[in-house]
Amino acid sequence: KIIIMHEGRFIAEGSLDELRERYGSVEVLEMTLDGCIQEEKLASIEGAHVVRCDGTTGNVQIISKNIAAILPAIMDILKSEGLVLKRIECRSMSLDDLFISMTGVSLND
């Protein structure tokens, strides 16, 4: 059983799988681009929940319930912006990813 607290306040409890399902996101897509993109463009895709873009490194992270369903829209946006995809990785949401999606901060912050 996991209990998530932030700044002394109880936020949620359950197993990692229960929390993933309850909070609607189970997959993480991480990409590296050859430039930067406005977070709003990717966040406008239906099903893209938490979107983070680092303009310095070109690293992008998107959390979604179904990455395969939103990937075509992501690729269309990258193409329209003239950005080249240098790296892409899809994985299951970790406890740190879940905490960030619920609180907006990393476990290490």
Side-chain angles (χ1 to χ4, degrees), residues 17-29 45-50 62-71 74 90-93 101:
D17 288 337
E18 289 170 343
L19 292 170
R20 284 175 179 157
E21 284 300 316
R22 190 175 313 142
Y23 292 95
S25 298
V26 295
E27 297 178 332
V28 178
L29 177 70
I45 299 170
E46 185 176 341
H49 298 297
V50 177
I62 300 171
I63 297 176
S64 177
K65 195 167 198 157
N66 186 348
I67 293 294
I70 67 171
L71 193 54
I74 292 168
C90 182
R91 61 181 171 75
S92 294
M93 182 181 248
S101 73

Side-chain angles (χ1 to χ4, degrees), residues 2-13 19 95 99 102-103 105-107:
I2 298 168
I3 296 175
I4 297 181
M5 297 183 71
H6 179 58
E7 296 181 344
R9 292 188 353 229
F10 172 83
I11 296 177
E13 69 177 283
L19 292 170
L95 180 57
F99 187 83
M102 296 171 78
T103 65
V105 297
S106 174
L107 287 170

Side-chain angles (χ1 to χ4, degrees), residues 2 8 14 22 25 39 42 54 59 80 84 89 92 94 100 103:
I2 298 168
R22 190 175 313 142
S25 298
E39 290 180 7
L42 295 173
D54 183 332
N59 290 333
S80 72
V84 174
E89 177 185 343
S92 294
S94 69
I100 291 168
T103 65

Side-chain angles (χ1 to χ4, degrees), residues 33-51:
L33 307 175
D34 69 341
C36 65
I37 188 166
Q38 293 177 348
E39 290 180 7
E40 298 81 28
K41 290 190 185 256
L42 295 173
S44 69
I45 299 170
E46 185 176 341
H49 298 297
V50 177
V51 176

